[in-house]
Every structure is written in C-alpha cells, then in structure tokens.
Amino acid sequence: MQKLIYPELSYKLVGLAYKIDNSIGFGHPEKVYSEALEELLSKENLNFEKEYYCPLKVDDKVIAKRYFDFFVEEKVIIEVKVGDYHYKKACDQIFQYLKESGLKLGIIIRFTKDGVKVKRIPCFY
C-alpha cells in the first residue's frame, strides 16, 4: 500500500472545494469556481500560481503548451471542471505532466449537479 502524498495539504484543498460547493452550489461556469478557489487559497495564505504554464518539450523544443488551473505550494496541480466535460482528458494530461516533471500529486475538482467530486492523481514514477 502506498502512502498518501501530501495528506495535510490535499485534505485542505479538498475541504476548500467542498466549502465552495456548500457556498454557491452547482450551475456556474468553470471560471466562477476557479475565482472562488483563488479567493479561498489566498485566505488560507497558500502559495499558488493560477493558470500554471506547462510546456511539453522534445529536445528542448516546445511542441505543446499546456496550462493547469492552479499550482499550489509548488507541489500540487489542480484542475477545476464543471460536470464531466473533458474529465478523462484532464486526468491523462495531469498524469503525463506529473511523470514528466517529477511532481507527485494532481487533483481534479469537479462541480456537478450531484455535488463536488474530487479525483486525486498520484504519481509514483
């Protein structure tokens, strides 16, 4: 059994997602949820970068540009989604970037009509 990666930080981040869901509920555009998360990350005094740029390179040449919604405490990538739209693609993208970068954890937060759903994506490579 693998140990949980960054347990305190990830519990805090998941808690913020539930706080957003409890406050504003479902039915808003992705941008609204991202702005709410940005506000809560700031209030928690967490170090983060919004719209984190992740170039995909081959032999030092950028072949694709990717952006993730948040990079928190220089440890965790977060993607915010509404519903199931592009969910699998986001999982694949985060996992690939984790492998390439040496980072260990990504989290996808989905705001759905059935409540908030969180997927932790660990990378043990």
Side-chain angles (χ1 to χ4, degrees), residues 21-63:
D21 189 56
N22 289 335
S23 296
I24 64 174
F26 179 68
H28 304 283
E30 191 174 296
K31 182 178 179 179
V32 170
Y33 295 107
S34 289
E35 288 175 4
L37 183 57
E38 181 178 16
E39 178 67 23
L40 294 179
L41 290 169
S42 293
K43 282 185 176 180
E44 291 289 328
N45 292 317
L46 291 169
N47 178 28
F48 69 94
E49 185 176 335
K50 190 175 180 183
E51 297 179 9
Y52 179 65
Y53 172 61
C54 309
L56 179 60
K57 296 180 181 180
V58 172
D59 291 334
D60 293 328
K61 179 177 172 45
V62 176
I63 59 169

Side-chain angles (χ1 to χ4, degrees), residues 43-108:
K43 282 185 176 180
E44 291 289 328
N45 292 317
L46 291 169
N47 178 28
F48 69 94
E49 185 176 335
K50 190 175 180 183
E51 297 179 9
Y52 179 65
Y53 172 61
C54 309
L56 179 60
K57 296 180 181 180
V58 172
D59 291 334
D60 293 328
K61 179 177 172 45
V62 176
I63 59 169
K65 296 177 182 178
R66 295 180 286 198
Y67 294 87
F68 293 107
D69 293 332
F70 296 93
F71 186 43
V72 181
E73 293 293 319
E74 298 183 2
K75 295 178 181 177
V76 180
I77 293 171
I78 296 179
E79 271 293 287
V80 176
K81 298 291 178 200
V82 174
D84 294 322
Y85 188 67
H86 292 298
Y87 173 64
K88 170 100 172 70
K89 181 180 175 184
C91 289
D92 292 344
Q93 247 186 349
I94 286 178
F95 184 70
Q96 188 62 40
Y97 182 71
L98 293 171
K99 283 183 9 183
E100 293 164 7
S101 68
L103 294 171
K104 298 296 178 198
L105 183 63
I107 298 175
I108 297 178

Side-chain angles (χ1 to χ4, degrees), residues 11-24:
Y11 289 142
K12 182 178 281 195
L13 296 171
V14 170
L16 296 178
Y18 281 98
K19 186 173 185 174
I20 293 167
D21 189 56
N22 289 335
S23 296
I24 64 174

